[in-house]
Amino acid sequence: MEFLCYHRDRPDSLALRYELLEEHWSYMDQYAKEMIARGPTFTVDGETLTGSVHILDLPDPATARAFAFDEPGYQAGAYRDVLLRRWRNTLGRTMWEFPGGPTEGNRYLVLGLGTGEPANLDLPSDRDDDLIAYGPLLSDDGTTWLGTAALLRAPDADTARTVLATPERYADIEVHYWQFGGRS
């Protein structure tokens, strides 16, 4: 089962995040084989850290919750909240298999928080070369569509947002500047 976990930073927690960086990476190293994608998010100008996204293949929702809430930054109060949802890896690959590599172009996390009938379940055909990760956000049992999440390369945030072809189907769409994460 695949899960998307997005820890959103608490205001003024940057010093704490940096203080816990080695603990965070050591914790994530335990999940290296399960990782599909990972990395920090920033304000759209790329200047201010806003959170940390991890997409993993884990055995069940209880393991996903343990992953999210045992993370050292969460335990120390660096995050204001956590979005944890089942996710379906529509591309069937990890970020390390993305042909564009980790540094070419601007990269974004787009979260569409759904409302109503499912939307954007199929891969956008015009974004093949730019999609790093893409799939629906789902309920724990995998039956209810709750939105869509994508990691992609795009020239700017407005273009990244258009990966969700039917914006009217979402209660909210968030766009965050994103970088490939992990140890350098």
Side-chain angles (χ1 to χ4, degrees), residues 26 47 60 66 75 80 89-90 99-100 131-134 166:
S26 294
E47 296 295 319
D60 53 54
Q75 288 296 311
R80 70 176 166 96
N89 188 356
T90 308
L131 290 174
I132 299 164
Y134 185 90
T166 55

Side-chain angles (χ1 to χ4, degrees), residues 123-184:
L123 287 171
S125 59
D126 60 338
R127 300 305 264 285
D128 289 345
D129 295 342
D130 294 323
L131 290 174
I132 299 164
Y134 185 90
L137 297 168
L138 304 165
S139 59
D140 277 356
D141 65 5
T143 60
T144 304
W145 176 83
L146 302 172
T148 306
L151 296 171
L152 71 150
R153 179 179 56 193
D156 55 56
D158 289 337
T159 303
R161 178 182 297 273
T162 65
V163 73
L164 302 180
T166 55
E168 68 278 1
R169 301 296 283 280
Y170 297 93
D172 190 25
I173 297 174
E174 300 176 15
V175 179
H176 304 270
Y177 184 76
W178 172 77
Q179 294 179 353
F180 277 55
R183 295 184 189 270
S184 302

Side-chain angles (χ1 to χ4, degrees), residues 21-34:
L21 191 57
E22 182 55 39
E23 286 181 60
H24 168 79
W25 281 346
S26 294
Y27 182 79
M28 293 304 157
D29 288 346
Q30 299 172 51
Y31 293 91
K33 291 180 182 170
E34 292 85 3

Side-chain angles (χ1 to χ4, degrees), residues 10 14 17 25 45 50 67 70 87 90 95 98 114 117 133 135:
R10 185 173 45 82
L14 185 60
R17 289 275 311 267
W25 281 346
D45 63 10
T50 60
F67 167 83
D70 291 344
W87 183 75
T90 308
M95 71 180 204
F98 171 60
E117 293 298 312

